[in-house]
Amino acid sequence: MPKRRADLVPHPRYGREPRVTGLDPQVDFPTCTVFLHWYSPSEVRVPNTAIAADTSRQNRPTIAVTHCFDSRRRCVDCRRVFLFFAAEQKYWYEVLGFPLESDCLRCVPCRKRQRELDAQGQRYEELFPLEDRTPDQDIEFVECSLALVAAGVFGRRPLERVRAILKKAKPHLKLQTVWERLREIEEAHAPVGDGQGPDLT
Ligand SMILES: [Zn+2]
């Protein structure tokens, strides 16, 4: 975990500075008036950043959480460290109704990218079976395919289909851009031993 705040991925709403509230409740066995989220053990909690949770608004918890702390997480995608803010936890668990079992695994930029990728995956599935795609739909299908290959969701197989579609495509504002993107991705995902590398024999 980085010690410097500058190394934390900033959150668009909360920034990257922990929000000091001066509240620092500790788990108090055996009285048990304080329950903290099991995903945020003491080593990831930022001291003195607690806010009281509203246990009545949590989504049928086995054990309700009484306080939320700003807590460090490491993003599963980019591996950078970010803060899962106490205020954001309250929003997740008390406003959005997420169960306490759900944890925040990705930083905000990676969450955004993941949502876009999910939407592109869904659009790909919708457009794939269409027999008569419009020129716009062709371009959209190509963009989704390229994004999914670039993100590693697909191997390079869809690239051949993309190339075939682009060869037959009618003039389109985005045609040049998607051709360039295709070439970049083909280069980045070139199969090993495709004869394009230096001949060492
Ligand atoms: Zn990330």
Side-chain angles (χ1 to χ4, degrees):
M1 295 282 172
K3 291 279 178 267
R4 295 185 317 136
R5 281 170 195 160
D7 296 335
L8 295 171
V9 184
H11 190 291
R13 182 172 303 155
Y14 305 107
R16 67 174 128 220
E17 292 293 316
R19 303 189 151 190
V20 174
T21 59
L23 188 60
D24 201 35
Q26 303 298 321
V27 176
D28 54 347
F29 290 121
T31 341
C32 296
T33 55
V34 173
F35 283 102
L36 304 177
H37 205 292
W38 60 93
Y39 288 135
S40 299
S42 58
E43 61 270 24
V44 304
R45 293 198 298 264
V46 182
N48 296 304
T49 60
I51 50 179
D54 181 347
T55 54
S56 71
R57 300 188 68 177
Q58 291 164 20
N59 191 350
R60 280 177 284 168
T62 313
I63 298 176
V65 164
T66 59
H67 298 82
C68 306
F69 277 83
D70 291 356
S71 303
R72 285 180 289 270
R73 294 284 186 279
R74 187 178 291 280
C75 176
V76 293
D77 286 349
C78 70
R79 308 303 299 160
R80 292 183 295 169
V81 177
F82 63 98
L83 284 177
F84 186 25
F85 286 90
E88 196 178 11
Q89 292 165 40
K90 271 179 78 75
Y91 185 65
W92 275 41
Y93 303 125
E94 297 177 13
V95 179
L96 299 178
F98 290 177
L100 290 175
E101 286 72 23
S102 57
D103 191 19
C104 186
L105 302 176
R106 292 181 173 85
C107 70
V108 172
C110 288
R111 265 186 267 168
K112 184 165 176 279
R113 201 171 308 125
Q114 186 62 44
R115 275 198 301 274
E116 286 166 1
L117 212 51
D118 289 345
Q120 283 168 318
Q122 196 179 336
R123 199 63 190 127
Y124 176 93
E125 297 294 336
E126 288 164 6
L127 293 170
F128 182 83
L130 296 187
E131 287 181 8
D132 291 310
R133 284 189 292 262
T134 65
D136 275 346
Q137 286 175 333
D138 261 346
I139 293 291
E140 194 185 356
F141 182 67
V142 161
E143 287 177 324
C144 291
S145 306
L146 293 178
L148 293 161
V149 172
V153 177
F154 292 147
R156 51 172 285 118
R157 188 177 289 257
L159 297 179
E160 288 162 35
R161 188 181 311 118
V162 163
R163 186 167 268 277
I165 292 171
L166 291 183
K167 275 185 181 167
K168 286 193 280 180
K170 296 199 168 63
H172 192 283
L173 270 179
K174 288 184 169 177
L175 199 53
Q176 173 85 16
T177 315
V178 287
W179 262 116
E180 284 166 14
R181 186 79 185 117
L182 170 63
R183 291 194 187 101
E184 278 171 22
I185 292 173
E186 279 180 334
E187 210 165 291
H189 292 73
V192 180
D194 64 350
Q196 288 178 12
D199 189 353
L200 300 175
T201 55

